[in-house]
Amino acid sequence: MDEIIVAKVQQAVGLLQEFNLPVWIAQFARETHDHPEPVQHLVVGTSVTWPAAFVIAADGTTTAIVGTGDVANVRDVGVYSEVVGYVQDVGPPLRALIEKLNPSSIGVSFSRSDDSADCISYGMYLLLEECLRGTRWVTALDPAEKVLGALRARKLPVEVERIRQAIRLTEEMFVAIEELLRAGITERKLYVAIHDMMREAGVTPAWDERYDPVVNFGPESKFGHAGPEERELEPGMLVHIDFGLKFDGYCSDLQRMWYVLRPDEGEPPQAVRDAFQAVLTSMRAGVAALRPGVAGWEVDHAARRVLISADYEEPAFALGHQLGQICHDGGALLGPRWPRYGMRPLIAVEQGNVFTVEYALQTPAGIIGLEEDVLVTSNGAEYLSNLQADLRCLRL
Amino acid sequence: MDEIIVAKVQQAVGLLQEFNLPVWIAQFARETHDHPEPVQHLVVGTSVTWPAAFVIAADGTTTAIVGTGDVANVRDVGVYSEVVGYVQDVGPPLRALIEKLNPSSIGVSFSRSDDSADCISYGMYLLLEECLRGTRWVTALDPAEKVLGALRARKLPVEVERIRQAIRLTEEMFVAIEELLRAGITERKLYVAIHDMMREAGVTPAWDERYDPVVNFGPESKFGHAGPEERELEPGMLVHIDFGLKFDGYCSDLQRMWYVLRPDEGEPPQAVRDAFQAVLTSMRAGVAALRPGVAGWEVDHAARRVLISADYEEPAFALGHQLGQICHDGGALLGPRWPRYGMRPLIAVEQGNVFTVEYALQTPAGIIGLEEDVLVTSNGAEYLSNLQADLRCLRL
């Protein structure tokens, strides 16, 4: 991980220059093993126990101020050129550093819109204000969400390569999963089998293991983030799996599906075929609209209107999210301009962003849901996954 | 885990009555798989993706307001009697709930002093203020640190039992560890062997696996939170191990040590024996002072002055922390009144608290460090671990 952290800290220095932010307190937190900050795996590289500040300046200097017990641990990471230990109070050394850097403003990692850029706790924010009390910097604290959003969203080649590997491994597992779709399989058995595959491959779920993978058999299965049930696979059911894994620190996130033919059926029912095509057409419209410079909501809208104009129920969620160290990564979001998503649908897509593209519909046979992962290129988007363009059919 | 969460939510209702807090927004957060809030495993029980509020009222009502995609997942936990799903904006249903409850004040989970009670991010705090804008509650948000501190610190019998089990397992592993202290063993080999033991037992480290366990051989080894090195065990060295594990959701945290006799030695050098006795005497003085009603700093002081008056270097850290779901659990801290520890050394010890008691000294042969886990009883403290009262000696 340290190679990535060195590269991302270097990238952050460039972003501070680009966004005219002289100093960024990237992390100001404590006990970050028990509650890791979203920024920890990006530019810090280890956990700390006592209140600690990780400060990156636009001139390239990097300083960590940590409790003495954490000094060895932070030096081991080897990213911060200066590691200052303190015993009683983080305030004086932090204040001394800010006085030395003497910035016009200070970026702090918080954001109303972007959870992945919203790192500092409210208590630590109050503590930071207290550390700077009486100085002009107490009123010069700005959200660093633009820097942190861009830092997450503009993937380095080494990051894209790790995401590609995670996707490749997931697709291999989907081949093995199809083999398990036989008479007698239940949602829970399949879920357990997929967890076994991950354990064997030495990888972990990309999101909460309680509902990664989501496994849905047929129309009674729970939509959304829900764990598996004892439901057995039967003819006439759609199989829908939403599955992501984390490999070498980076995530995949894919949805794949199948239809189980009834003995008398030669193909899925018309309504199911129509819904599959509608979701596929809608997603393709989104991918066609995806290129640098467009706002996230425009991409969502291009896809969303296909479903709405075909009289399907409007999806209650976004078309896609960025993908990276965390499954719902920061920066632009391909979603509607709903308060739930804050300002993120207004952010412009950039080259080097990696997005999921996903929509789903409920049908009488179950959930039609597809999800692909794509990389934004200089003038469009490239699929990182092998698009599921056909509704595969099975017989039990 | 859900049995604990049901019990802790019930305990929280009692604490809200005791502390005269009518309503507590226990968690207001998003994407809590990637960055879990400290309160999640205590009173929530699952992760959520979109902004979600978990609200506990002193009248016993419990309400979760979550994005529709998280409804199934939160209902599965089965703790919150009402689970409200929203599509576009968490604000209106949250405001409606507050209007219905109509409290005089609202507790929010933040704290400058206590990281385990400092849950809400600054961005989410701003979002909460925005949700309540124009109402009288925007100025009625109070830190719920007393409620949350007491909820963590007052262990239920089922919690104490789980901690006991974690300690028992750790002590069994220390027996196996002693067997490995042979010629040729290095810090790293021992660290790896302990990780293998944990994997085999199906348990995880209690803190960051990079430095749990801390393994120190001799005087050159790094003090504090540091990973193992290639250093080989040699005669004349102290072996010091700081090791905790999490079993069934609850932590242990113990330090054990040995001295490796040189061929010509019959016992450890005088300075080493003296330092061991000083640490032991000091810790015992702390445990003797530990009882309901005393402030945390007084217990630390009782132990600290033993070392200081014997002319040893003053420890740069606290005598002890609470132990629970997280290794550094909330509430009173047995530490000096340094800004680093906030107000926590001023909090009174209570019956049912579980603390570590730990001090360490550097000697010419390495680190002398001991740590025991104790339960506060009605009139004193009971050791949950088997006190290491002797410096065990080995020959390679």
Side-chain angles (χ1 to χ4, degrees), chain B residues 245-278:
Chain B
L245 57 82
K246 193 176 275 194
F247 175 73
D248 215 359
Y250 284 78
C251 295
S252 64
D253 186 2
L254 295 172
Q255 293 176 44
R256 290 291 175 261
M257 48 179 326
W258 297 263
Y259 177 74
V260 185
L261 292 165
R262 297 177 194 273
D264 58 339
E265 284 178 329
E267 59 179 5
Q270 188 69 41
V272 169
R273 283 183 287 144
D274 288 349
F276 183 89
Q277 284 306 323

Side-chain angles (χ1 to χ4, degrees), chain A residues 31 112 118 121 130 328, chain B residues 31 47 112 118 121 130 328:
Chain A
E31 297 287 357
R112 274 198 298 199
D118 191 29
S121 69
E130 193 177 290
H328 292 176
Chain B
E31 297 287 358
S47 68
R112 274 197 300 198
D118 190 30
S121 69
E130 193 176 291
H328 293 176

Side-chain angles (χ1 to χ4, degrees), chain A residues 30-31 33-36 38 45-51 68-70 72-73 76-77 86-89 110-115 118 120-127 130 206-208 210-211 222-227 316 326-328 338-341, chain B residues 30-31 33-36 38 45-51 68-70 72-73 76-77 86-89 110-115 118 120-127 130 206-208 210-211 222-227 316 326-328 338-341:
Chain A
R30 54 196 167 186
E31 297 287 357
H33 174 66
D34 290 317
H35 25 101
T46 186
S47 69
V48 292
T49 299
W50 303 279
T68 45
D70 281 324
N73 162 31
D76 274 355
V77 177
Y86 74 87
V87 172
Q88 294 203 7
D89 188 357
F110 69 90
S111 169
R112 274 198 298 199
S113 295
D114 188 345
D115 65 280
D118 191 29
I120 191 168
S121 69
Y122 185 44
M124 288 304 285
Y125 189 85
L126 295 174
L127 189 63
E130 193 177 290
W207 60 90
D208 196 328
R210 290 169 64 119
Y211 47 88
K222 287 177 186 163
F223 194 83
H225 295 168
I326 50 185
C327 186
H328 292 176
W338 293 341
R340 158 176 171 167
Y341 297 124
Chain B
R30 56 195 166 185
E31 297 287 358
H33 174 66
D34 290 319
H35 27 101
T46 186
S47 68
V48 293
T49 299
W50 302 280
T68 45
D70 281 325
N73 161 32
D76 274 356
V77 177
Y86 74 88
V87 172
Q88 293 202 7
D89 189 356
F110 70 91
S111 169
R112 274 197 300 198
S113 296
D114 188 344
D115 66 279
D118 190 30
I120 192 168
S121 69
Y122 185 44
M124 288 302 287
Y125 189 84
L126 295 174
L127 189 63
E130 193 176 291
W207 60 89
D208 197 330
R210 292 168 62 119
Y211 47 89
K222 289 177 185 162
F223 193 83
H225 294 167
I326 50 185
C327 186
H328 293 176
W338 294 340
R340 156 176 172 168
Y341 297 124

